[in-house]
């Protein structure tokens, strides 16, 4: 396994998806698979019909009919599951994932700095991951605005964001925003330096946001009265705070300790907003009922532990304990590497805490879809949802299974056989380019020499 | 009015103009007739056996069968080519390196700061550009985000204020980042800075107008020279030039440019051709630096295909932009010398750019981008007489510059040895100082040179280690090393690119935190 994954790491950088044919109402029939629908159980020897970009029908193989010109994919002996959704990723960001200079950088946008050229996207597809919540880092109490994308490797970046995804923002609590483990710039540690300070940054940001809203309300009222006042200055940071206060933005809050989790929910109640998810949330098991009461989800690592002081109380049972206490729970990667094997982290929740197969699958599919407000289009195999589908060689909760084909909206974005063939083509392309470069350099040298002789 | 009366009035007027001019410059009228060559007006097809008459700094007449004025100095251009002198619209010629004690060193000079106020020239700097047929340069500062107003000037003789065509010629913005903890320390932060600053400037413009209409009952808007310097951009008087090499930066530039309906240009723009369709739809113009990427020192097997593709295909970019009808100009960028600039133009042609498109890209196209198309960029009557005469097509390797006219004056052509082709020795010890935003960082290098290969070791403020696979080419040195990017300790590759002149070395270094200037010398 290890050798194989290294080979993938070495070679995949030269591979790219063949541009998928986009036909409005083309049909693809994936038949004879063990279909893990996630929301409606398992269909042995089942078929899924894709029409256009959506799932059109799901059922036992003999009950799903396709038109005569449908593309048939025979998946006998294979497993079919919905694409994995990573609720916490930083892949594809150009430059730093942190605007780490200010305590509140809610104005910066991950979407501004996403590239379609980072091969990490393709590697996610090779692990069955089709969508991700790309977040700002955790250097400050309020970070930047997220981007929720599908890994449409080979397509231009403007096609990657999910158009109806609710906007979100990163918050962060604890050691990172109070600069415990590093010292930016080498100078004095900037404010805040304590958990109290982090709390105050957040509270103050919303007080300022509220004032900003009031300022604009006063202005609009004056205009209504027929006055012509100078409008207030637009402030993109405070506009974001105002959008949060209006309930338009999902907050994904990086956290570890139970006391800070409770703190943020108190501040949210006080200021009048909601926390959509707590991220990492390694002590979520201590305050799961309170999180459930607030309506906050938990998105966590299954077994990362002890990597800093605030991560010492982590237990691998966290997932199961949160899930069984009413918290909508997902596993996430926070890592380009882990992002392509989230199926294995989901499986570990069966060992630690005894989740069922179905509950484990939900951790990486429908649950993150709900957390991101996208379960109407992703997270399960149901008619009407996006055809984001993954064919596995075996049950995806087995560490011996691997991905054969990954579809996004009915198009093939990863295929293991095609990948093998492309490697040869791409190696040839690279050699041709290098030869061209060398020939050019040689020609240039020869011409320069000749010229020297002409004009001594 | 009878004809004789007309003539008398005309003569009086001419006398007045001459007298006035003479009083200003105490100069004869400098009348030249360039006769017999192939004239390339750029704005119209080439003229065989053409004549160009130059008088008083301006082009008086262009065409065939034009009578040579009696007072003209005859310049025989038989067998030669007459072009507009070139306009290199992105350089740092004359921009001094920020001195140590300069409070703006490494910081944002702000939009209000003008390059014209800072230009200084080493005596032979302009000679090398004139030697390449360049008649007009745009020079811009290169520190910070809003880098201030550029200056566009003719390469004539005399004080700068008589050479300036426009100042500011543009406002320059770079998406560069500061070291961690200093805003903006990320690319997304730099994009926000541009976005918010433009909003602020637009607000200030409106607020000022509203206040001036009727100040009663209104709070007085702030005074902010940096924001006010963007007023010209917002009024479309001056273009906003974004230094933007990659797709992410080009897209950010397009968004901001379009939102405020300003004249926007992306410069550097190594990857712009990959976005040609996007650019032609969004109305952007491109200054393509012919400082094309060179092969890195790492082994081919460690280079991703994507990087190889970008590097090897970059010189095909101008041809691609021409094909997709994106307005573009070819520029040297801040680091190339005059001969390298010419070599880059030649390379663009060798990689598929049509000759006439290349000529346009160094004359009329940049003139149009900067709103100077009525003054320079083509050989037309009434325009400024910036002309070059070459014995072969100007871009050909063996071409020689015969004459150069700037503002109608014939410039002395001085053969300057190309420093880039003068081999320099890297061998030995060097004390380097890297100008980071948080201060100077010192580094000692011990280099060993074998042919054009350089290796060795380094030690200093940010750690120590070995230097591998460096190269020396003429006076250019390139090497990389692994050192701490910031005092907090995360490691980064530092890629040095510079030039050696005897016992000094200077250039720029790129680490994970951005690109910074460095200078060094051999220890005494």
């Amino acid at each position: 396994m290890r050798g194989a994954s290294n080979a993938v790491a070495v070679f995949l950088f030269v591979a790219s998806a063949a541009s998928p044919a986009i036909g409005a109402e083309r049909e693809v029939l994936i038949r004879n698979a063990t279909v893990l629908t996630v929301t409606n159980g398992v269909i042995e020897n089942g078929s899924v019909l894709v029409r256009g970009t959506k799932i059109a029908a799901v059922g036992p193989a003999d009950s799903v009919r396709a038109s005569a010109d449908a593309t048939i994919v025979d998946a006998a002996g294979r497993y079919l599951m919905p694409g994995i959704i990573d609720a916490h990723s930083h892949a594809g960001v150009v430059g730093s994932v942190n605007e780490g200079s200010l305590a509140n950088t809610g104005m910066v946008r991950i979407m501004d700095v996403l590239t379609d050229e980072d091969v990490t996207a393709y590697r996610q597809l090779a692990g069955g991951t089709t969508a991700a919540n790309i977040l700002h880092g955790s250097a400050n109490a309020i970070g930047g605005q997220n981007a929720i994308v599908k890994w449409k490797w080979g397509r231009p970046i403007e096609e990657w964001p999910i158009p109806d995804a609710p906007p979100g923002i990163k918050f962060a609590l604890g050691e990172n925003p109070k600069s415990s483990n590093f010292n930016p710039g080498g100078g004095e540690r900037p404010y805040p330096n304590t958990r109290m300070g982090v709390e105050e940054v957040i509270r103050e940001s919303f007080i300022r946001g509220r004032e900003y809203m009031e300022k604009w309300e006063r202005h609009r009222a004056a205009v209504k009265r027929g006055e012509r006042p100078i409008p207030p200055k637009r402030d993109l940071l405070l506009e974001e705070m105002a959008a949060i206060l209006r309930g338009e933005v999902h907050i994904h809050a990086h956290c570890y300790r139970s006391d800070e989790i409770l703190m943020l929910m108190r501040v949210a109640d006080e200021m009048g907003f909601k926390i959509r998810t707590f991220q990492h949330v390694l002590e979520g098991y201590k305050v799961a009922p309170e999180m459930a009461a607030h309506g906050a989800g938990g998105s966590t690592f299954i077994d990362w532990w002890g990597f800093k002081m605030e991560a010492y109380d982590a237990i691998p049972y966290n997932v199961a304990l949160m899930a069984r206490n009413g918290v909508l729970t997902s596993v996430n990667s926070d890592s380009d590497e882990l992002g392509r094997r989230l199926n294995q982290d989901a499986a570990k929740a069966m060992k630690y805490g005894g989740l069922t197969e179905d509950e484990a699958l939900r951790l990486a599919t429908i649950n993150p879809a709900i957390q991101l407000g996208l379960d109407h289009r992703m997270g399960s195999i149901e008619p009407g949802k996006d055809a984001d589908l993954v064919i596995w060689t075996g049950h995806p909760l087995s560490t011996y299974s691997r991905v054969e084909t990954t579809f996004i909206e009915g198009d093939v974005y990863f295929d293991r056989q095609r990948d093998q063939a492309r490697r040869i083509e791409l190696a040839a392309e690279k050699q041709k380019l290098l030869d061209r470069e060398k020939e050019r350099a040689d020609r240039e040298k020869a011409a320069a020499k000749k010229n020297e002789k002409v004009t001594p | 009015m009878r004809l004789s009366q007309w003539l008398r009035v005309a003569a009086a007027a001419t006398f007045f103009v001459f007298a006035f001019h003479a009083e200003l410059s105490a100069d004869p009228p400098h009348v030249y007739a360039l006769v017999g060559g192939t004239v390339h007006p750029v704005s119209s097809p080439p003229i065989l056996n053409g004549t160009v008459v130059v008088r008083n700094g301006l082009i008086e007449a262009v065409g065939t069968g034009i009578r040579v004025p009696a007072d003209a100095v005859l310049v025989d251009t038989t067998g030669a080519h007459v072009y507009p002198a070139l306009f290199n619209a992105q350089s740092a010629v004359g921009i001094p390196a920020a001195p140590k004690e300069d409070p703006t060193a490494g910081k944002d000079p702000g939009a209000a700061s003008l390059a014209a106020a800072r230009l200084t020239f080493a005596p032979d700097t302009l000679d090398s550009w004139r030697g390449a047929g360049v008649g007009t340069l745009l020079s811009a500062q290169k520190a910070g985000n809003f880098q201030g107003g550029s200056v566009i000037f003719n390469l004539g003789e005399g004080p700068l204020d008589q050479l300036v065509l426009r100042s500011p010629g543009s406002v320059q913005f770079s998406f560069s980042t500061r070291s961690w903890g200093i805003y903006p320390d990320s690319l997304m932060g730099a994009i926000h800075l541009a976005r918010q600053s433009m909003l602020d400037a637009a607000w200030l413009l409106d607020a000022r107008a509203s206040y001036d209409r009727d100040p009663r009952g209104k709070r007085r808007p702030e005074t902010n020279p940096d924001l006010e310097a963007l007023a010209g951009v917002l009024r479309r008087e001056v273009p906003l030039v974004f230094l933007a090499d990659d797709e992410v930066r080009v897209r950010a530039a397009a968004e901001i440019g379009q939102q405020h309906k300003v004249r926007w240009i992306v410069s550097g723009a190594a990857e712009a051709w990959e976005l040609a369709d996007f650019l032609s739809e969004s109305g952007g113009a491109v200054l393509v630096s012919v400082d094309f990427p060179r092969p890195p020192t790492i082994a081919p097997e460690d280079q991703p295909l994507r990087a190889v593709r970008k590097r090897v295909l970059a010189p095909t970019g101008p041809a691609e932009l021409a094909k997709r009808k994106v307005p573009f100009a070819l520029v040297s960028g801040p680091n190339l010398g005059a001969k390298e600039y010419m070599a880059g133009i030649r390379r663009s042609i060798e990689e598929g750019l049509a000759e006439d498109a290349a000529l346009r890209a160094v004359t009329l196209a940049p003139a149009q981008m900067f709103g100077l198309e009525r003054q320079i960029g083509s050989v037309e009557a009434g325009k400024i007489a910036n002309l070059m005469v070459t014995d072969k097509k100007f871009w050909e390797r063996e071409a020689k510059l015969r004459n150069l006219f700037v503002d109608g004056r014939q410039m002395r052509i001085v053969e300057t040895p190309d420093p880039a082709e003068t081999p320099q020795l890297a061998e030995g010890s060097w004390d380097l100082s890297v100008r980071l935003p948080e201060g100077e960082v010192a580094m000692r290098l011990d280099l060993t040179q074998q042919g054009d290969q350089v290796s060795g070791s380094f030690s200093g403020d940010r750690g120590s280690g070995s230097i591998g696979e460096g190269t020396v080419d003429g006076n250019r040195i390139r090497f990389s090393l692994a050192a701490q990017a910031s005092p907090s300790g995360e490691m980064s590759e530092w890629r040095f690119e510079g030039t050696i002149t005897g016992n000094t070395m200077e250039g720029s270094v790129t680490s994970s935190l951005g690109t910074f200037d460095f200078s060094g010398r051999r220890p005494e």
Side-chain angles (χ1 to χ4, degrees):
Chain A
M1 265 324 273
R2 196 183 174 136
S5 80
N6 279 345
V8 167
V10 171
F11 285 109
L12 284 200
F13 72 90
V14 293
S16 73
S19 3
I22 307 226
E25 287 304 301
R26 55 79 197 275
E27 287 190 352
V28 181
L29 180 69
I30 304 166
R31 67 181 186 195
N32 305 328
T34 301
V35 180
L36 309 173
T37 67
V38 177
T39 44
N40 292 307
V42 179
I43 307 168
E44 305 285 350
N45 194 26
S47 287
V48 172
L49 177 67
V50 176
R51 188 173 297 132
T53 61
K54 300 283 184 185
I55 296 168
V58 186
D62 49 14
S63 72
V64 179
R65 306 222 181 287
S67 63
D69 55 356
T71 306
I72 309 292
V73 180
D74 187 31
R78 306 290 194 247
Y79 283 72
L80 186 70
M81 76 174 280
I84 289 171
I85 299 163
D86 188 349
H88 190 131
S89 170
H90 302 292
V93 170
V94 176
S96 174
V97 301
N98 280 297
E99 174 54 52
S101 56
L102 309 168
N104 179 354
T105 59
M107 68 288 185
V108 302
R109 305 174 190 169
I110 289 292
M111 195 55 232
D112 283 343
V113 288
L114 274 189
T115 176
D116 52 25
E117 303 195 329
D118 183 344
V119 73
T120 305
Y122 185 66
R123 293 179 180 147
Q124 309 298 297
L125 295 165
T129 305
T130 52
N133 179 24
I134 318 289
L135 289 166
H136 184 278
S138 53
N140 30 25
I142 299 181
Q145 302 165 23
N146 73 345
I148 305 179
V149 301
K150 290 194 186 178
W151 295 121
K152 292 185 178 175
W153 178 251
R155 306 294 307 163
I157 191 69
E158 56 266 32
E159 294 180 18
W160 292 29
I162 298 171
D164 55 350
I169 191 168
K170 177 75 171 282
F171 277 29
L173 311 176
E175 291 178 15
N176 290 6
K178 74 188 183 77
S179 327
S180 299
N181 305 315
F182 47 80
N183 188 3
E188 252 175 66
R189 278 168 54 187
Y191 178 78
N193 281 182
T194 62
R195 283 185 159 76
M196 297 180 286
V198 171
E199 175 178 356
E200 197 43 35
V201 165
I202 295 171
R203 181 178 284 111
E204 199 205 337
S205 296
F206 286 102
I207 292 171
R208 286 176 57 210
R210 206 179 267 165
E211 286 168 358
Y212 182 74
M213 291 166 89
E214 289 162 3
K215 209 193 288 183
W216 274 97
E217 278 158 23
R218 280 197 300 276
H219 172 72
R220 287 192 202 100
V223 171
K224 228 178 207 167
R225 288 196 300 271
E227 295 168 27
R228 292 179 69 193
I230 296 176
K233 208 182 213 178
R234 277 188 68 189
D235 184 314
L236 296 177
L237 173 62
L238 296 179
E239 276 182 18
E240 182 67 6
M241 298 302 108
I244 296 171
L245 287 170
R246 289 194 300 269
E248 296 164 6
V249 182
H250 286 168
I251 294 170
H252 302 289
H254 157 118
C255 63
Y256 288 91
R257 271 174 29 181
S258 56
D259 55 347
E260 66 193 13
I261 297 167
L262 294 174
M263 174 278 283
L264 187 59
M265 292 192 294
R266 278 197 304 272
V267 174
D269 289 344
E270 175 192 331
M271 305 306 296
F273 59 86
K274 288 281 175 200
I275 306 301
R276 184 73 177 189
T277 68
F278 283 100
Q279 298 282 324
H280 313 327
V281 61
L282 298 187
E283 292 187 16
Y285 64 94
K286 298 182 182 176
V287 290
E290 289 83 354
M291 285 170 60
H294 181 87
S299 188
T300 186
F301 310 129
I302 185 83
D303 56 359
W304 284 4
W305 170 82
F307 44 91
K308 52 181 162 175
M309 193 55 112
E310 61 188 359
Y312 268 60
D313 263 11
I315 55 171
Y317 295 87
N318 187 36
V319 170
L321 286 169
M322 285 199 295
R324 290 280 161 82
N325 281 281
V327 176
L328 181 72
T329 305
S330 65
V331 288
N332 69 48
S333 77
D334 195 13
S335 147
D336 294 358
E337 167 55 30
L338 183 55
R340 57 185 188 80
R341 44 189 176 80
L342 280 171
N343 60 314
Q344 294 175 22
D345 270 27
K348 288 178 196 167
M350 294 170 69
K351 177 175 172 62
Y352 301 111
L355 292 194
T356 65
E357 241 177 63
D358 238 23
E359 285 174 316
L361 280 175
R362 295 179 76 99
L363 296 173
T365 53
I366 191 70
N367 287 5
I370 299 169
Q371 289 177 341
L372 300 176
L374 289 167
D375 50 310
H376 59 287
R377 59 151 74 221
M378 308 194 304
S380 62
I381 301 182
E382 290 179 69
K385 287 201 177 185
D386 292 353
D388 302 346
L389 300 164
V390 187
I391 300 174
W392 294 77
T393 55
H395 197 293
L397 294 175
S398 160
T399 188
Y400 297 106
S401 301
R402 58 184 197 186
V403 171
E404 278 199 336
T405 310
T406 304
F407 298 84
I408 295 178
E409 292 162 16
D411 293 321
V412 175
Y413 278 87
F414 171 79
D415 181 86
R416 194 163 293 276
Q417 280 179 339
R418 195 186 287 179
D419 179 79
Q420 298 297 324
R422 281 288 281 163
R423 288 177 195 211
I424 298 163
E425 290 168 28
L426 294 168
E429 184 193 343
K430 181 173 164 185
Q431 195 50 53
K432 212 171 140 191
L433 286 167
L434 289 169
D435 291 348
R436 175 172 169 176
E437 184 173 48
K438 190 172 177 305
E439 277 164 28
R440 211 213 111 86
D442 292 347
R443 242 190 351 260
E444 190 71 18
K445 254 183 204 157
K449 222 170 218 164
K450 193 178 142 213
N451 210 32
E452 249 167 45
K453 280 176 201 148
V454 175
T455 56
Chain B
M1 204 184 284
R2 287 206 317 268
L3 185 64
S4 60
Q5 273 177 303
W6 259 116
L7 284 174
R8 239 174 293 150
V9 173
T14 311
F15 177 76
F16 177 74
V17 168
F18 281 161
F20 184 66
H21 180 84
E23 213 172 84
L24 267 186
S25 59
D27 259 352
H30 294 277
V31 186
Y32 298 94
L34 286 63
V35 178
T38 303
V39 180
H40 300 263
V42 181
S43 50
S44 55
I47 304 163
L48 298 174
N49 193 14
T51 300
V52 181
V53 179
V54 172
R55 183 186 295 276
N56 257 330
L58 303 178
I59 297 169
E60 190 177 66
V62 188
T64 47
I66 290 172
R67 205 156 57 85
V68 174
D71 55 350
V73 175
L74 194 71
V75 181
D76 181 10
T77 57
T78 309
H81 297 266
V82 181
Y83 300 95
L86 309 187
F87 174 16
N88 173 17
Q90 185 80 71
S91 81
V93 176
I95 301 286
K100 249 186 194 173
E101 63 276 14
D102 185 339
T104 66
K107 294 220 177 69
D108 199 336
S113 132
L114 290 178
R118 297 169 57 111
L119 284 190
T120 54
F121 300 108
D124 56 355
T125 319
L126 295 183
D127 282 340
S128 74
W129 288 97
R130 289 180 190 128
V134 174
T136 308
L137 279 170
L138 178 148
S139 279
Q141 298 165 111
K142 46 180 185 173
N145 294 107
F146 277 102
Q147 305 191 323
S150 67
V151 54
I152 301 174
F153 61 100
N154 274 348
L155 270 61
E157 276 164 354
L160 185 66
D161 28 345
Q162 287 183 28
L163 303 178
V164 169
L165 284 166
R166 190 159 294 178
S167 177
S170 59
V171 172
Q172 308 273 132
F173 181 84
S174 156
F175 295 103
S176 57
T177 56
R178 313 277 164 88
S179 67
W180 198 6
I182 307 169
Y183 176 76
D185 63 12
S186 68
L187 176 55
M188 56 189 158
I191 293 171
H192 169 75
L193 175 66
R195 200 180 264 142
Q196 182 72 57
S197 301
M198 290 298 285
L199 284 177
D200 291 351
W203 174 85
L204 188 57
L205 211 58
D206 290 347
R208 192 46 57 77
S210 165
Y211 187 76
D212 289 348
R213 254 195 319 272
D214 183 7
R216 285 170 303 179
K218 289 174 188 165
R219 220 176 134 176
R220 189 173 71 256
E222 65 185 290
T223 301
N224 184 327
D226 283 327
L227 288 179
E228 280 152 28
L230 289 171
V233 169
L234 289 163
R235 291 195 204 102
R236 298 181 58 85
E237 293 158 5
V238 175
L240 180 56
V241 175
F242 293 94
L243 307 181
D245 265 329
D246 63 0
E247 294 197 18
V248 165
R249 288 168 175 84
V250 169
R251 285 172 193 280
E255 182 220 289
I256 294 162
Q258 285 177 289
Q259 189 191 343
H260 294 279
K261 300 188 172 59
V262 301
R263 289 159 55 198
W264 59 278
I265 296 171
V266 290
S267 177
E271 294 179 15
W273 64 279
E274 298 181 62
L275 289 169
D277 291 334
F278 170 80
L279 280 164
S280 77
E281 278 162 31
S282 49
V286 187
L287 299 172
V288 184
S289 166
V290 296
D291 193 358
F292 296 119
R294 281 167 279 252
T297 48
I298 51 171
E301 55 269 29
D302 295 330
Q303 301 172 21
L305 169 62
R306 195 162 282 276
V308 175
R309 249 190 222 145
K310 279 189 190 304
R311 181 177 79 238
V312 179
L313 298 181
T316 68
E320 201 60 34
L321 290 169
K323 206 192 296 172
R324 316 278 191 90
K325 309 239 180 307
V326 179
F328 73 99
L330 299 178
V331 299
S332 68
N335 298 322
L336 291 190
K339 285 191 182 167
E340 294 166 305
Y341 176 47
M342 194 53 75
I345 296 167
R346 183 163 61 241
R347 181 149 182 205
S348 304
I349 293 170
E350 286 166 359
E351 300 273 5
L353 181 64
E355 284 178 33
D356 58 342
L359 174 61
R360 181 173 283 267
V362 289
T363 54
L364 195 54
Q368 284 165 337
M369 281 183 207
F370 291 90
L372 295 168
E373 72 277 9
R374 292 177 304 172
Q375 289 152 275
I376 57 167
S378 63
V379 186
E380 288 179 78
K383 280 196 168 184
I384 291 171
N386 282 1
L387 300 164
M388 69 165 171
V389 182
T390 54
D391 61 349
K392 293 189 166 67
K393 286 176 178 165
F394 79 97
W395 53 270
E396 285 181 35
R397 192 185 300 274
E398 297 83 14
K400 285 260 170 304
L401 183 67
R402 283 215 211 149
N403 312 85
L404 178 74
F405 295 86
V406 177
D407 274 322
R409 303 286 205 89
Q410 180 154 3
M411 306 305 295
R412 201 162 45 94
I413 296 167
V414 182
E415 272 291 329
T416 50
D418 193 338
E421 284 166 13
T422 314
Q424 296 280 342
L425 194 66
E427 175 87 27
S429 294
W430 295 88
D431 283 326
L432 256 50
S433 171
V434 182
R435 279 187 288 277
L436 298 179
E438 66 265 31
E440 306 247 339
V441 166
M443 222 176 249
R444 162 69 68 96
L445 310 180
D446 288 297
L447 299 180
T448 315
Q449 184 174 356
Q450 280 190 316
D452 57 1
Q453 300 296 307
V454 170
S455 58
S457 62
F458 76 98
S459 63
D461 294 348
R462 294 293 167 85
S464 58
S466 62
I467 295 167
E469 303 193 46
T471 58
V472 179
D473 179 12
N475 71 339
R476 278 188 184 276
I477 181 165
R478 307 169 67 206
F479 58 92
S480 50
L481 50 84
Q484 292 165 14
S486 73
S488 51
E490 75 275 25
M491 298 294 285
S492 164
E493 187 193 12
W494 295 47
R495 293 194 311 277
F496 288 78
E497 272 203 55
T499 51
I500 299 175
T501 314
N503 291 327
T504 63
M505 190 192 293
E506 62 175 21
S508 62
V509 54
T510 303
S511 78
S512 60
L513 294 178
T515 300
F516 313 99
D517 288 344
F518 78 90
S519 59
R521 53 199 170 105
R522 296 181 191 276
E524 279 150 22

